[in-house]
Each structure stands twice: as C-alpha cells, then as structure tokens.
Amino acid sequence: MPALCPTLRRDGDQVVILDQTRLPFEEHYLHLAGLADAVTAIRDMQVRGAPLIGATAAFGVALALRHDASDATLEEADRSLRQTRPTAVNLHWALNRMRAALLPLAPGARAAAAWAEAEAIRREDAAANARIGEHGLALLRRQAATARRPLNIMTHCNAGWLATCGHGTALAPLYAAHAAGLDIHVWVSETRPRNQGLLTAWELARSGLPHTLVADNAAGWLMAEGRVDCVIVGADRIAANGDTANKVGTYLKALAARAHDVPFYVAAPRSTIDLACRNGAAIPIEERDADEVRMLAGLAGDGSVVRARLVASTSAVCNPAFDVTPAGLLTGIICESGVLAPDALAPLATS
C-alpha cells in the first residue's frame, strides 16, 4: 500500500485538511478553525469524495461545539453543513450519526463526545477502505488468471485516498493488487470539468502504479479495442435498487462496458448506500458553477498556476456534477461486506 499524506486529521482544537483545489500542482494544508471553515472546505471542494465529505462534516460539528454545545449551536452546525453538497449521502449519514450521538447528552458532555464520534467515523472509514481493497483484490486475482498481461483497469474521477480517510474505494483494490505483485495498468480518465482524474494520476504516480491518463471520450474506443479488462469507479450515493450516482461521465463508461462485455464495478462503503432512496430518479444531482466548464486551470511557463477562459462568459452552460448509472449496468458493488449484487441491497436494512 502507498504511504499516505493525511487528508484529514485533528490538530489540537483545529482540523487539518489537504487542500485539493491546489492539486495536482501544489501540496498545501489548511487549518479549519471553526464551523465556517468546514462549510467552505466541503462546499468549495477543498475536500471532496463522499466518504471524506462525511468525515469532514463530522469534524465540522466538533469544531462548532468547542465553546458552545447548546442545542441551538448543534442545530445550526447541522443545518449549515447539510446545505453544502446535495448528492453525497455520506454527508447526511455522518450528520445523522453525530446528532444521534450528541442530542441525548447534556451540553457539557457534547464537545468531547463530538470529537470522539468524529474520530470514530474517520477510523471506521479507513477500516472499510481496507476491506474494500481485500474484496476487490479477490476479483482482480480471478481476472488476472485469464487476462493478458498486464491487467488493464479503468477508473473515473478520483476514489482513492484523497477522497477518503484510508486507501480509497475504487482505488483500494488497485493498491492492494499492486502490493500483492499483480501486473496491472490503470486507464485514468481526465474527468472534466473538475479534472479529478488528474488527482488519480497524481496518487498513482506517488505509489509507482503504472497508469495512463486519457481524455474522457477515449474510454469507449479503448473498450472496443479490447484494451480494458475491468472498470472500477466510486459512488456518491447508491439507491435501494442499486442505481448509482457518481461523477458525471460514469454512465457513459457503463454503457460502453456493457456493449463490450467489460465487467463494471462500483466500490463504496455501506454508508454510501441510501436505502431510504428508492431509485436513481430520487437522487438529487448537484449542478455546479458554470465557470467550472468555461475556465481551465494549468501551469504557465514560469510554473505559476493560471486560469484560462475557454469560452465567453455569456455562453450558456449546463454543469451537472454527477450522473446516475442504472443498476442493470453494474456487475457488482464492492463494499466492506463483500461484493453485492446491485439488485440485492434490501437485506442491508436489517443486517
């Protein structure tokens, strides 16, 4: 497994995050000193990835309660954090868990309990990541036994350690496979307009895992050419029927995978499965700022980060952050419990 730079950690009465808006050009850490900083970090994607968003929200509650742990402060923290990102269900899962742990307590006991619960959420996510890696590795071993060398795996967006509190979701099996000595290569799609694929490439380069960055629209051609053995992506919300919301562009990859008989897996912790959400049509899809499409960030000749305009500011833009892949296009869902059939999630409600 690769050595991690921590995405989220406590530092006294503050929280330290890796500012992902500066990646892959600069590795910079921020101190979150209060609730407002946590809200900004989630809303502006200084932290991103469903599991990490949930953990950051939990720590945001702890930050809010340091000096005033009244019911009013707890409710304000909960409300402010819930409004940051609508699609990632881990955000609401973590906030529900914090409320359940803290509301029954006297205000004087809440501050310490909030830190403890947030730390528990962080540790449990790291443990879930490890188990996802183990279950995914078993799948990849079976594929490697019949595939040509190397085993070519495609991913979309970033679902590695940058998006979680451990080794990631979709990338955890890849790290486990690499550590186990499997000969693998990763196709990394750029994932416009936020280019989170560049974060995946940055991660994989740090681990020494062979990979190639490709334009999003090259995915179908690579599958048609027989150059992809498996697709593994993450998720921001999985509905009760197995429909899955992930970064926009995932649906097109799932369609191409089905057309060319390429296994298509979603990797996510059980906290991403929303049994209260009946199907994909009920998943709220966040639409982000138009300038994410109109503008592009990169390095100038002098090494400084610059933003370039691609189209006029008057150009109409539609910028959905996610799309929904129907359960029928999934081969399986890799979670800490094992590999689940997409249409068999209901038993989780009682397990």
Side-chain angles (χ1 to χ4, degrees):
M1 290 290 191
L4 304 183
C5 293
T7 52
L8 176 72
R9 63 180 175 86
R10 181 180 177 182
D11 183 14
D13 64 350
Q14 297 188 354
V15 172
V16 180
I17 63 166
L18 176 60
D19 183 357
Q20 298 191 37
T21 63
R22 298 199 184 191
L23 293 174
F25 309 118
E26 180 184 5
E27 192 174 314
H28 179 76
Y29 291 85
L30 290 174
H31 279 77
L32 308 183
L35 173 63
D37 290 342
V39 168
T40 297
I42 297 171
R43 183 193 61 221
D44 294 353
M45 296 180 70
Q46 291 170 326
V47 295
R48 38 147 304 281
L52 184 59
I53 287 171
T56 304
F59 278 98
V61 173
L63 288 170
L65 300 186
R66 288 173 305 165
H67 307 303
D68 176 8
S70 65
D71 287 356
T73 300
L74 178 56
E75 293 296 339
E76 173 61 20
D78 183 86
R79 182 193 62 80
S80 298
L81 290 161
R82 281 184 196 274
Q83 293 177 347
T84 53
R85 302 289 304 276
T87 303
V89 73
N90 305 66
L91 170 70
H92 305 282
W93 170 86
L95 291 172
N96 289 343
R97 177 165 163 175
M98 295 296 285
R99 284 176 62 89
L102 299 174
L103 275 175
L105 301 180
R110 285 175 179 168
W115 285 115
E117 193 68 16
E119 287 284 5
I121 288 172
R122 184 179 63 81
R123 289 194 306 270
E124 289 168 20
D125 182 58
N129 288 182
R131 292 193 293 272
I132 288 170
E134 293 167 3
H135 296 307
L137 172 59
L139 291 175
L140 296 181
R141 284 189 189 280
R142 290 196 290 270
Q143 282 209 270
T146 58
R148 64 186 183 283
R149 300 293 185 270
L151 183 67
N152 282 287
I153 304 157
M154 179 173 284
T155 191
H156 185 68
C157 193
N158 173 265
W161 61 261
L162 286 171
T164 69
C165 300
H167 283 97
T169 54
L171 294 194
L174 310 189
Y175 288 138
H178 186 55
L182 267 66
D183 185 9
I184 67 170
H185 165 265
V186 186
W187 294 111
V188 179
S189 62
E190 59 191 352
T191 323
R192 291 192 182 187
R194 293 287 304 200
N195 289 329
Q196 290 101 326
L198 304 187
L199 306 186
T200 295
W202 183 82
E203 270 197 48
L204 297 178
R206 290 173 66 98
S207 72
L209 207 161
H211 63 281
T212 304
L213 183 69
V214 297
D216 292 340
N217 287 337
W221 178 80
L222 288 168
M223 292 188 212
E225 291 287 299
R227 298 173 68 181
V228 179
D229 298 302
C230 178
V231 180
I232 307 178
V233 300
D236 286 80
R237 188 182 303 225
I238 301 173
N241 73 334
D243 293 349
T244 299
N246 192 49
K247 185 58 58 180
V248 68
T250 302
Y251 179 38
L252 292 178
K253 287 180 171 58
L255 289 171
R258 174 55 58 89
H260 300 291
D261 295 321
V262 175
F264 188 98
Y265 291 98
V266 167
R270 285 176 52 166
S271 58
T272 305
I273 300 172
D274 185 3
L275 294 174
C277 181
R278 183 176 179 182
N279 55 41
I283 298 176
I285 299 299
E286 176 183 3
E287 182 154 351
R288 295 189 58 83
D289 189 275
D291 273 351
E292 290 184 352
V293 175
R294 297 185 185 122
M295 307 287 289
L296 190 67
L299 289 180
D302 62 1
S304 62
V305 179
V306 297
R307 282 171 58 81
R309 180 168 293 281
L310 301 177
V311 295
S313 59
T314 55
S315 295
V317 168
C318 177
N319 185 21
F322 305 93
D323 58 23
V324 175
T325 300
L329 296 179
L330 307 184
T331 306
I333 296 171
I334 310 169
C335 74
E336 62 268 43
S337 303
V339 182
L340 308 177
D343 60 353
L345 302 183
L348 292 178
T350 56
S351 64

